[in-house]
């Protein structure tokens, strides 16, 4: 009989039902038959000796967590990692996970049997002791009670190893998930600092730095980092391109053994535990206070003497190419000082100042926060007379303000050479006055004497006039003779004219 094809209107409903069925299959835990693992005894749900070792589920060795129940030979379901297994405490789960992870994935039957006995003792010690008819209270005795039948030649080794594994597992602390990273800054040198890792000692991880590197590797990534470690870091000033304060960041990804197990169950038979995936967590940290940019400022100077003062053109620069800025964006002000020395002759240039010299004046310069690098003009007080003057500039970290000194490397001191040619100027002494050779003019208002005939040298000599006074004496005598002649002529005329 032929049937018509189904209507297309019925397909959406059929597809929806198929999707639901497939979805339910996708989320259901996978089930597969447990297989004989590694150990001793009889691989059967029930037997006279039992099975002491691991059960394989896929590629995983699992171990019984219900002493006395039948071995899980039927289909077993993998429930994944769980921290809620039959009321087991976090400590029990952490101890079991340590054993099945560290020692349980093995092909050594003695090791597998020892892990099996230790796990059962952690879960339920009393049932483990007495489930096979042993009446004592000694775990090695209970092990020997069974293993003398299952594998007598290995009983002693299994007893010894079981007790060692058990003690080790019980000492495993419940792991701490999470923690902190902390960045520290060296107050004297902000390019140095440390990263402190506070996580569980059993945790391991990888830490990445931004704007810094690890001092021991020179790289920004450090692997295999553990809790309690302190790692020195270097945060170079080049981390800031514009000179502003910068911040170091740290991020870490860690894993820690879980207080959980990978849980398997088999209906009517054993439940078992396999290794749980480690707990994963991420941490991050940043500088509490941004780090100041450091640099090494330098000076170039050219001096002259003007109006009795030492005048210096000082150019301040940063060889790193970056001038640090404060948080508000202004440039960090740097203070430079200079001592001025005076000598009687031109001194020789030297790296150090001669010990016998003392400063005669001082100069000081603080850069403008709005300008930073640039050229500044500085003038001294009036100089102390003639001589050769030279200035020596310095930039000293210890002389800066407390807020500025972190911008300079530890112990930073820049000092100019003594008697640098551009810093040495001479003040010459004043020139001495010049003597005059012009004749002294006569006093104003004195008329010159009329000329007269010279007297005989014999008459001059009789007066006692020295030879050096002859011209003057002759003039006086000539004048007197003339006056006498005029007086005689006047008297004679009067006698002639008398009636």
């Amino acid at each position: 009989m032929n049937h018509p094809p189904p209507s297309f209107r019925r397909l959406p409903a059929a597809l929806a039902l198929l999707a639901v069925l497939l979805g339910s299959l996708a989320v259901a835990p996978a089930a597969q038959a447990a297989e004989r693992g590694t150990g001793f005894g009889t691989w059967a749900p029930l037997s006279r000796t039992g099975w002491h070792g691991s059960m394989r589920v896929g590629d995983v060795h699992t171990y019984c967590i219900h002493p006395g129940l039948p071995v899980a030979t039927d289909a077993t379901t993998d429930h994944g990692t769980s921290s809620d297994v039959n009321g087991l405490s976090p400590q029990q789960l952490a101890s079991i996970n340590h054993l099945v992870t560290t020692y349980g994935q093995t092909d050594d039957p003695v090791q597998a049997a020892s892990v099996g006995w230790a796990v059962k003792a952690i879960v339920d010690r009393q049932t483990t002791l007495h489930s096979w008819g042993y009446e004592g209270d000694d775990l090695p005795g209970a092990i020997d009670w069974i293993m003398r039948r299952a594998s007598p030649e290995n009983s002693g080794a299994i007893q010894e190893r079981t007790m060692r594994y058990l003690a080790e597992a019980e000492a495993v602390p419940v792991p701490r998930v999470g923690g902190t990273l902390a960045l520290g800054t060296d107050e004297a040198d902000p390019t140095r600092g440390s990263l402190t890792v506070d996580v569980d000692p059993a945790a391991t991880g990888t830490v990445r730095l931004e704007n810094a590197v690890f001092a021991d590797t020179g790289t920004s990534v450090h692997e295999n980092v553990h809790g309690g470690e302190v790692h020195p870091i270097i945060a170079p000033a080049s981390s800031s391109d514009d000179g502003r304060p910068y911040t170091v960041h740290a991020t870490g990804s860690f894993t820690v053994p879980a207080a959980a197990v990978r849980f398997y169950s088999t209906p009517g038979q054993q439940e078992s535990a396999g290794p749980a995936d480690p707990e994963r967590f991420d941490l991050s940290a940043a500088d509490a206070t941004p780090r100041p940019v450091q640099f090494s400022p330098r000076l170039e100077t050219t001096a002259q003497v003007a109006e009795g003062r030492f005048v210096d053109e000082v150019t301040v620069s940063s060889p790193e190419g970056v001038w640090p800025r404060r948080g508000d964006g202004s440039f960090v002000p740097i203070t430079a000082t200079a001592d001025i020395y005076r000598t009687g002759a031109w001194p020789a240039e030297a790296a150090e100042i001669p010990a016998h010299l003392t400063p005669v004046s001082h100069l000081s310069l603080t850069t403008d926060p709005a300008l930073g690098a640039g050229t500044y003009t500085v003038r001294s007080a009036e100089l102390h007379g003639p001589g050769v003057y030279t200035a020596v500039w310095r930039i000293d970290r210890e002389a800066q303000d407390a807020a500025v000194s972190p911008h300079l490397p530890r112990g930073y001191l820049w000092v100019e050479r003594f008697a640098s040619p551009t810093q040495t100027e001479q003040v010459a002494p004043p020139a001495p006055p010049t003597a005059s050779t012009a004749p002294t003019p006569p006093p104003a208002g004195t008329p010159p004497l009329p000329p007269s005939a010279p007297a005989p040298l014999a008459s001059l000599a009789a007066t006692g006039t020295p030879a050096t006074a002859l011209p003057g004496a002759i003039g006086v005598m000539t004048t007197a003779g003339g006056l006498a002649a005029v007086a005689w002529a006047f008297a004679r005329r009067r006698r002639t004219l008398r009636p």
Side-chain angles (χ1 to χ4, degrees):
M1 178 182 291
N2 295 321
H3 296 279
S7 172
F8 286 103
R9 288 179 295 179
R10 297 178 182 177
L11 286 177
L15 291 174
L17 178 60
L18 179 60
V20 170
L21 293 174
L22 290 175
S24 64
L25 291 175
V27 298
Q32 56 182 309
E35 299 176 356
R36 174 174 177 163
T38 304
F40 301 99
T42 302
W43 181 250
L46 297 174
S47 67
R48 178 173 176 273
T49 59
W51 174 253
H52 305 280
S54 69
M55 297 171 289
R56 290 183 64 90
V57 182
D59 295 331
V60 180
H61 290 267
T62 72
Y63 291 83
C64 297
I65 54 175
H66 270 305
L69 289 184
V71 175
T73 58
D74 293 341
T76 300
T77 301
D78 179 358
H79 297 277
T81 298
S82 177
S83 58
D84 184 12
V85 179
N86 296 333
L88 296 178
S89 69
Q91 179 62 68
Q92 288 173 302
L93 291 171
S95 297
I96 294 170
N97 190 40
H98 171 75
L99 290 179
V100 299
T101 301
T102 307
Y103 304 109
Q105 306 308 301
T106 180
D107 292 328
D108 180 354
V110 171
Q111 183 166 312
S114 302
V115 170
W117 278 102
V119 167
K120 288 182 289 187
I122 292 171
V123 174
D124 186 347
R125 187 182 183 93
Q126 290 303 312
T127 301
T128 300
L129 289 174
H130 306 302
S131 59
W132 294 94
Y134 177 68
E135 297 181 355
D137 196 29
D138 176 55
L139 182 58
I143 294 172
D144 186 60
W145 178 267
I146 301 298
M147 296 309 299
R148 72 175 61 175
R149 297 194 296 269
S151 180
E153 67 275 15
N154 292 302
S155 177
I158 294 172
Q159 294 174 51
E160 183 276 330
R161 198 173 297 191
T162 297
M163 299 308 295
R164 178 157 53 87
Y165 286 169
L166 184 60
E168 182 179 321
E170 289 176 339
V172 171
V174 175
R176 175 166 59 103
V177 179
T180 60
L181 299 177
L183 288 163
T185 303
D186 187 334
E187 292 183 0
D189 184 358
T191 65
R192 299 279 175 170
S194 61
L195 171 72
T196 300
V197 182
D198 180 15
V199 296
D200 190 277
T204 60
T206 299
V207 178
R208 290 171 172 80
L209 297 177
E210 180 182 345
N211 292 334
V213 296
F214 290 96
D216 58 344
T217 63
T219 64
S220 60
V221 179
H222 206 305
E223 297 179 347
N224 200 32
V225 176
H226 296 86
E229 295 178 349
V230 178
H231 296 270
I233 65 171
I234 301 174
S238 58
S239 298
S240 174
D241 294 333
D242 63 356
R244 294 177 185 270
Y246 60 101
T247 300
V248 174
H249 297 269
T251 56
S253 297
F254 292 87
T255 60
V256 65
V261 295
R262 189 168 179 178
F263 180 53
Y264 300 85
S265 67
T266 306
Q269 296 178 342
Q270 272 290 346
E271 293 176 338
S272 59
D277 293 332
E279 295 271 7
R280 298 182 181 276
F281 58 93
D282 296 329
L283 300 174
S284 63
D287 285 331
T289 302
R291 297 170 186 254
V293 171
Q294 282 195 331
F295 73 139
S296 307
R298 299 284 194 273
L299 303 180
E300 292 183 7
T301 56
T302 301
Q304 62 177 331
V305 174
E307 299 178 352
R309 300 175 186 273
F310 197 89
V311 182
D312 224 334
E313 297 293 325
V314 182
T315 300
V316 191
S317 63
S318 168
E320 291 85 359
V322 175
W323 192 281
R325 295 176 184 265
R326 295 181 287 196
D328 60 2
S330 62
F331 292 103
V332 170
I334 292 295
T335 297
T337 59
D339 292 325
I340 300 177
Y341 300 89
R342 181 174 65 173
T343 56
W346 288 86
E349 185 177 357
E352 297 183 358
I353 301 168
H356 67 280
L357 294 181
T358 57
V360 297
S361 189
H362 303 278
L363 299 171
S364 181
L365 161 67
T366 299
T367 58
D368 187 345
L371 178 62
T375 300
Y376 299 82
T377 301
V378 187
R379 293 176 173 82
S380 73
E382 190 172 351
L383 298 176
H384 304 283
V388 178
Y389 291 86
T390 185
V392 178
W393 284 91
R394 67 174 54 217
I395 301 174
D396 188 351
R397 185 182 194 269
E398 301 302 322
Q400 309 299 318
D401 290 341
V404 174
S405 58
H407 292 279
L408 301 178
R410 182 183 300 180
Y412 184 76
L413 175 64
W414 181 90
V415 181
E416 194 173 28
R417 289 176 62 83
F418 174 74
S420 170
T422 61
Q423 282 296 96
T424 306
E425 291 290 317
Q426 183 178 31
V427 177
T434 304
S436 176
T437 58
T440 303
T446 303
L449 295 175
S452 58
L457 292 177
S459 299
L460 293 174
T463 66
T465 303
T468 56
L470 283 179
I474 292 173
V476 173
M477 291 175 65
T478 302
T479 302
L483 291 174
V486 171
W488 176 80
F490 181 76
R492 182 178 179 183
R493 182 180 179 186
R494 289 185 63 184
R495 284 195 302 265
T496 301
L497 296 176
R498 188 178 295 171

